[in-house]
Amino acid sequence: MSLLYENLLQFTWQQGVMILVGLLLVFLAIKKEMEPTLLLPIGIGTVIVNIPNVDAIMEHGPLTTLYEAGIANELFPLLLFIGIGAMIDFGPLLANPKLMIFGAAAQFGIFFTLCMASMFFGANDAASIAIIGAADGPTAIAVSQTLNSAYQGAIMVAAYSYMALVPIIQPPVIKLLTTKEERLIRMPYEPKSVSKTTKIIFPIAITIVVSAIVPKSASLIFFLMFGNLIRECGVLDSLSETAQKVLANLVTIFLGIAVATQMTAEKFLKPETLLILGLGLVAFIFDTAGGVLFAKLLNLFLKKKINPMIGAAGISAFPMSGRIVHKMGLQEDPQNFLLMQSTGVNVSGQIASVIAGGIILNLFG
């Protein structure tokens, strides 16, 4: 009979806390619908990996094998980028290319957070934490894995949790930094036709240029743009649909379960974890602020004013951030439609976040 209870006696309070954390993630995924395709597998995976002596995370256990096959070699994040690329329509950006600059400005939080994190962590860990500000889960995973950060679990959870919290984080920051008059600025959309040839050339050209300038981001940008090329080429519609739905969802599930292997009590329950979560929030806030303030700066020199709210859409949280800006514009003025402009900025942020990840890897890899 004692053998039946032997494993139960090996439970620690730290493991109990992590099981509660896992259940909280499950609750947020189901009840609050916060990134459910990712937080649900991470949450239930966190529960199982914190039970003593489970075979799932032994040397040849299925979760360990899954982690080594998909996370340790960065395969899952890259495959997920194919699905993300297939979802993105670069049409609004190509119709108004100057919106690209806002995607770059909204990466300010990454480098600001890097400076802050460097005061508490080593160079590679600080760089991995800073990339939470990319608002791009696959990029955060790829960078933290490549730099062999000791805090991969916390970084991954922070990256995806804050992406889900973008509708809560961004509006107060935007309102704090803008006046009502600025939020009422209208930006009439002037539709411009973008040829199919342009849409095909764009992902190819971006892949070549970015890979040549920032070679450490070549893999990330290639898989992202390959997914977009599948979408735009016009001869692989069924494959594009599969990438957007089946591939993206399947890889996300495997990604979440694999990430959970890093959510054990000994790896996660550290004072540094709370600091990482705080720094991740700082990164998101300053990303938003960077985009908004840059738009306000441009307005000092432009005759045709820009609604500074669209600068906030430059973070990579696609398509949530673009929709938030559009919604805020309608709240201020029911006739102020900012969807196309904010979407253009939002997709530029997707490219900029990958480039930022490559820059971080070039500096610290």
Side-chain angles (χ1 to χ4, degrees), residues 16-17 52 59 116 161 201 210 226 257 269 277 295 315 326 330 348:
V17 169
E59 184 177 355
M116 290 190 63
S161 296
I201 292 175
V210 172
F226 175 66
I257 296 174
L269 280 187
L277 295 175
I315 69 171
H326 173 60
L330 291 177
S348 77

Side-chain angles (χ1 to χ4, degrees), residues 105 108 177-178 286 288-299 308 311-312:
F108 170 73
L177 297 175
T178 58
F286 277 86
T288 302
V292 172
L293 293 176
F294 183 73
K296 288 167 70 77
L297 177 64
L298 289 181
N299 278 345

